[in-house]
Amino acid sequence: MTSLVVANAALGAAFERAFSLLHEAITDVIYKTRMYESILQRLKDTLDHMRPLVEKMLLSNRERDLPEEPTKRLIKRMEKGEKRVRRYSTLPWWKYLVRFHYANKLLELEKDLGRFFKVDLSAWNAMNVMNVLESVKGVKDIRERLSLTRLNSVASCSVPRFRDFVIGLDVPLKELKMQLLKVEVSMLVLTAPGGCGKTTLAKMLGHDDHIKGIFKENIFFVPVSKTPNLKVIIQKLLGKDDPAFQSDEDAIDQLEQMLLAKLNKPILLILDDVWSGSESLLEKFAFGLPNYKILVTSRTAFPRFNFTYKLKPLNDDDAMEVFRHSAGLQDGSSSYIPDEEVVKKIVKGCGGFPLALKVVGKSLCGQSAAIWLLREKKLSDGHSILDTDIDSDLLECFQSSLEFKGNEMILRECFMDLGSFPEDQKIPVGALIDMWSELYELVEDGLHVIANLHEINTRNLADLVVTRQDASLVGSYCSEDFVLQHDLLRELAIHQCSLEPVEQRKRLIIDISGNNIPKWWMEQRLQPINAQLLSISTDETFSSSWCNLLPAKVEVLVLNFQTKNYRLPGFVEKMDKLKALIVTNYGFFPAELGNIQLLESLPNLKRIRLQKVSIPSIFKTPPPLRNLEKISLFMCNLGQNFRNCSIEISNAWSNLKEIIIDYCNDLLEFPTWLCYIVSLKKLSITNCHKLFALPIEIRELTSLEVLSLRSCTNLSELPESVTSLQNLRILDISDCLSISKLPKHIGELRNLNEIHMTGCLRLRNPLPPSTMDLEKLKRVVCDGERAKLWEPIQEFCMDGTRIEIRIAEKDINLNWLANRL
């Protein structure tokens, strides 16, 4: 045996020993611990793939020389690798940086092995390498085998191409990109109703040159869907066919290690179509690593996460272009070119939703004039695009937004109730409080109602507009807040309500154009309806000619109209179970409201809400409504009868607990009779700019807990008698521009908990000394100048507790003004 053969044998033996020890260490550690299995398993897979090559190499090295230097270098690295693996498995979880250092070293070892067998060993004998490679079944290149896992991951999680015609998303793409790339943003929720183009926008982001330049090949796109499987999602990200996860936690650990391996490179993970209730799933993907960002697309806004981008429907011009493209009106493929007004009406019916525009457009592409005109006529007659047999996928897309579970089912009911109000109109939150408090017994000062509205807003089924940022008592300060609902979503609510026969519907929503009473109503005769909620909307040409109806089970009646004169329908007197009446005039001027005497026959009526009507008759001879608890008057002409109403009204309305008067411009003096409704707990007179004084008799309201006089700009002072209101908890004089001082003995309001005084510009003098006696005062909401008046009071707090002085932010949002117009 020559010295060369001996040297070759020794080198081969050393290589085999180092290789075997490394393989044994990795296998042993994987068996004993699940820590960092992804890196170790990956290295083990590499060694397993190489073993046939090593065996062939060792058998043939007797006749051929091994590359000495590369072989010795790799032996040393495998020996070090074996020690690192042993050490790696004993590291405690909190030694984050050390673990990361060892993880990188093991990844370097994997690369060295691949390089040796691909490059260095080829110099030893190219022909021998080829023979060995051919013996490894199905793999032509060892590097291909080593990177197969990563290639599978890229292939299964690459961003899909968007093949549809896209218009109107350039600006949202810019805005989305700008927000995502902010340093402080690690997770961004892209949210919108179904059919708005969220997934398309996410795909555009993934293929954007700027984004690809930053994240390069580390952009992963994974659909999550309604019933997500965490292990399957991570399996796709890791690119493994059989990952053998022990648990969800194990899967998360392995994903974390993949991300740690790429820590020095920016990573973008796009989780598409995430459903409501998946917050805990999203949190599992938030590792808090630098340069790691997550984009979530969902119909739900997920308020738990700080950063949200809300995608809006297309504007009119973009919607028109999408529709014309889908309908073949731009390329001349359509045999019929409809009138522009017909096209506009159909496009309006799609509401700017790209999905609806494309589906409806394709359904009309190449159709005859008769089909086009028929579709336009149906929309003109009040039908929705959801009522037409176009494509079941369109309806299913919208209906899937209404899938709620368990206790959330009430949200579905509340969403459907929003259809009771006319399209393109603001829905007052106060009206919803009146409605839902009776239908679903959501009491407790409106808190449940507001919570439901926030959840509906979160799910993009409506938009909640909060006009007062300084409001802390929800039930008292939501009178100016309102809800906006997209026309197509309103049509969805009405469509869902209409799935049952008319007489069996839980809510009956009727839109009347002119005097065209629905055919079913004309044929109804004496057939009773089962609805608990009845909504009737009429236009400016309606003559108040009502047909008979038997609404024996109606608990909430919503009447929307636009005429100068309006009479309550005669069948109101048959509503023995009616609890809430909501009458809204959407015309420009206050309307005369007739048949008000019918209310006398409603023994269970608890809430009345009237908007933009003249109502002198109700106060001239107040109907005896002994169960009436709340009356709300918005933009109403109150008239002389309101001011001179008899004190006897305190007997007729003996259970009245709340009065709201807002934007009633003919209210000059506070009516004395109001002071004798001793059951009253909440009194809100706001935005009544001609009101100049409160009577001394206000002291009679001994049960009053909330007094709001906000924006009564001509009110010059609070009478000293107001200090007799021993149960008063909240006082609001915000934007009362003429008030220059507080009552001298305000300290006698022993239960006062909260004062709002933002914008009291004439209130500049020191506060009365008795203010220090307000033992239960916890919060003052005011502007910066008024806050200085409270500093001495804070210093002398008797029990050591400090009053919270909350500086109200200047709100330049004029939504509140638009709501009144």
Side-chain angles (χ1 to χ4, degrees), residues 583-599:
V583 180
T584 306
N585 169 23
Y586 289 98
F588 193 75
F589 297 104
E592 296 293 331
L593 183 62
N595 266 1
I596 200 76
Q597 71 279 1
L598 295 178
L599 300 183

Side-chain angles (χ1 to χ4, degrees), residues 472 729 749-755 774-781 790 794 797 799-806:
S472 58
R729 296 185 295 106
L749 296 174
R750 303 298 185 187
N751 287 300
L752 192 64
N753 183 264
E754 189 170 320
I755 297 179
L774 295 172
E775 299 174 357
K776 294 188 178 181
L777 187 63
K778 301 297 182 184
R779 182 182 298 112
V780 175
V781 182
W790 286 94
Q794 276 194 315
C797 285
D799 58 359
T801 59
R802 294 180 65 83
I803 300 171
E804 177 192 355
I805 308 297
R806 182 182 299 177

